[in-house]
């Protein structure tokens, strides 16, 4: 492989780019974990808030304050605690999801762009390496053809072949000149691109990290404000007022037993009144007469219609 004065510089560049890529990939992996965690926090806090709301409604139902909507003054201490905690959890869930979206747009996507730029630099270095291989191959080809021309010239009877070998050597030397120019141009272009990459990458990475720090501060300030607003509200509640203000299960059981005995006495009184009602004593209806005519008077109120006798069978 041909050597050049800038080989040491390119070795340093290769090590720098590899180390930079390794570090950014490590950051990208951990960033993905952080983003997944923040999304999970948003989902978990939403479920947590729903659970607190359910417990609040259970407490309201036990204490007989169902149907009063958002009237929080009628709930007990523990009911108010669950209600306020549920509202704060919903707010935290919303903040966490907004933070998750900001992390995607402000940090992970720019980080992936930096990795793409590093990949482009590695491609430029690989092209320079390919030109170096081509240049080295051309140098070896020229040296081989020179040896062939020299061998044909000193070998009796093969002077004719030396002419063809010389022509082939001339073509190889022309190819070597082009390969050398391509190699040197590619090397200089790669050095310029690496310098530009270092300047732009430093500026972009600084802006990305600064934006990430600002997003972190803004998010945690909002989180602290949300929890900080909840603490005084919970401290202002009376935790001892937690279940006996609405109704007592002992009193409810005694009232149910009392109502049951009252209902039993009322049912017994109604049954006795029904049994004491005097039944009417009307005389039974008279039997029909034998001449086919029914009686026309029944208790001076009911008349029987005249019926035709049934025909006799012959």
């Amino acid at each position: 492989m041909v050597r050049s004065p800038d080989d040491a510089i390119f070795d340093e560049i290769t090590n720098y780019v590899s180390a930079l890529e390794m570090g950014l990939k490590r950051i990208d992996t951990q960033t993905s974990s952080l983003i997944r965690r923040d999304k999970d926090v948003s989902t978990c806090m939403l479920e947590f808030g729903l659970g607190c709301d359910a417990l609040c409604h259970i407490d309201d139902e036990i204490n007989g304050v169902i149907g009063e909507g958002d009237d929080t003054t009628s709930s007990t201490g523990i009911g108010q605690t669950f209600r306020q905690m549920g509202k704060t959890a919903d707010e935290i869930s919303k903040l966490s999801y907004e933070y998750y979206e900001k992390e995607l747009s402000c940090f992970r996507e720019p980080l992936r762009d930096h990795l793409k730029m590093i990949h482009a630099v590695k491609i430029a270095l690989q092209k320079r390496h390919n030109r170096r291989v081509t240049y080295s191959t051309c140098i070896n080809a020229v040296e081989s053809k020179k040896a062939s021309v020299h061998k044909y010239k000193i070998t009796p009877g093969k002077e004719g072949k030396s002419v063809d070998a010389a022509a082939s050597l001339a073509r190889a030397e022309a190819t070597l000149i082009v390969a050398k120019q391509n190699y040197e141009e590619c090397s200089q272009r790669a050095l310029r691109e690496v310098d530009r990459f270092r300047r732009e990458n430093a500026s972009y990475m600084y802006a990305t990290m600064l934006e990430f720090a600002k997003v972190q501060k803004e998010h945690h300030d909002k989180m602290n404000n949300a929890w900080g607003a909840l603490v005084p509200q919970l401290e202002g509640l009376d935790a001892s007022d937690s279940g006996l203000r609405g109704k007592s299960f002992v009193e409810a059981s005694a009232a149910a037993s009392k109502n049951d005995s009252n209902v039993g006495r009322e049912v017994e009184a109604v049954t006795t009144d029904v049994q004491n009602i005097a039944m009417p004593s009307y005389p039974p209806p008279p039997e029909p007469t034998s001449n086919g005519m029914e009686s026309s008077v029944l208790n001076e109120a009911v008349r029987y219609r005249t019926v035709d006798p049934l025909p006799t069978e012959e």
Side-chain angles (χ1 to χ4, degrees):
M1 188 73 68
V2 65
R3 301 291 300 178
S4 62
D6 54 3
D7 285 344
I9 298 176
F10 277 98
D11 291 339
E12 182 180 356
I13 292 174
T14 301
N15 295 332
Y16 163 73
V17 172
S18 298
L20 184 61
E21 182 182 30
M22 185 180 300
L24 288 179
K25 283 185 176 181
R26 179 178 298 179
I27 293 177
D28 180 68
T29 301
Q30 299 305 319
T31 301
S32 299
S33 300
L34 290 173
I35 291 175
R36 286 194 301 268
R37 184 205 64 182
D38 294 327
K39 188 176 182 180
D40 292 341
V41 167
S42 175
T43 303
C44 293
M45 290 305 295
L46 178 62
E47 295 295 332
F48 180 82
L50 293 175
C52 289
D53 290 340
L55 292 174
C56 172
H57 290 305
I58 292 173
D59 185 78
D60 289 345
E61 181 180 357
I62 290 299
N63 290 280
V65 292
I66 294 180
E68 300 187 17
D70 295 332
D71 183 12
T72 59
T73 59
S74 58
S75 298
T76 62
I78 190 62
Q80 283 282 12
T81 300
F82 285 130
R83 176 176 282 108
Q84 298 301 330
M85 183 66 73
K87 290 182 178 179
T88 302
D90 292 341
E91 183 179 358
I92 294 299
S93 175
K94 181 180 178 181
L95 292 175
S96 297
Y97 191 78
E98 292 176 352
Y99 176 58
Y100 156 75
E101 291 181 334
K102 287 183 178 179
E103 281 183 319
L104 285 177
S105 60
C106 298
F107 191 69
R108 193 176 73 171
E109 292 179 2
L111 197 63
R112 298 286 175 85
D113 293 338
H114 296 319
L115 288 172
K116 291 178 181 179
M117 293 173 64
I118 291 177
H119 183 67
V121 172
K122 293 181 68 175
I123 291 177
L125 294 176
Q126 182 63 37
K127 288 183 178 180
R128 187 256 180 188
H129 177 73
N130 294 338
R131 297 291 190 278
R132 183 183 180 187
V133 171
T134 301
Y135 180 39
S136 300
T137 302
C138 291
I139 291 177
N140 294 333
V142 168
E143 294 296 331
S144 175
K145 292 182 183 300
K146 283 182 178 181
S148 297
V149 170
H150 178 70
K151 183 180 68 174
Y152 291 144
K153 285 183 178 181
I154 64 175
T155 302
K158 293 186 177 182
E159 291 80 1
K161 290 185 178 181
S162 64
V163 177
D164 295 336
S168 177
L169 175 61
R171 291 192 297 271
E173 289 177 343
T175 303
L176 175 62
I177 294 174
V178 174
K180 181 180 180 181
Q181 292 177 349
N182 291 336
Y183 169 66
E184 291 176 349
E185 290 178 358
C186 186
S187 297
Q188 294 301 316
R189 185 167 58 251
L191 290 174
R192 291 193 300 269
E193 291 298 323
V194 170
D195 287 340
R196 184 172 66 87
F197 164 75
R198 291 183 63 187
R199 291 192 302 269
E200 294 180 355
N201 181 69
S203 177
Y204 292 158
M205 286 301 299
Y206 169 78
T208 301
M209 292 300 176
L210 179 61
E211 183 66 20
F212 179 70
K214 289 180 178 179
V215 169
Q216 292 285 334
K217 180 182 182 301
E218 179 183 358
H219 171 67
H220 288 91
D221 286 344
K222 291 180 178 179
M223 295 280 283
N224 290 333
N225 292 336
W227 290 116
L230 175 64
V231 172
Q233 296 177 4
L234 297 184
E235 290 177 346
L237 297 176
D238 185 7
S240 61
D241 184 15
S242 303
L244 297 179
R245 188 185 67 181
K247 67 178 180 180
S248 170
F249 291 117
V250 175
E251 294 176 357
S253 177
S257 300
K258 183 178 179 181
N259 292 335
D260 185 65
S261 63
N262 292 335
V263 171
R265 286 195 295 270
E266 292 177 359
V267 171
E268 182 179 357
V270 172
T271 304
T272 303
D273 293 340
V274 172
Q275 292 176 351
N276 294 333
I277 295 176
M279 300 299 293
S281 57
Y282 297 113
E287 295 292 334
T289 59
S290 60
N291 58 2
M293 298 294 295
E294 293 183 358
S295 173
S296 60
V297 179
L298 177 60
N299 196 22
E300 299 178 354
V302 180
R303 293 183 180 272
Y304 287 85
R305 64 183 177 84
T306 304
V307 296
D308 295 332
L310 296 173
T312 59
E313 296 181 356
E314 295 181 357

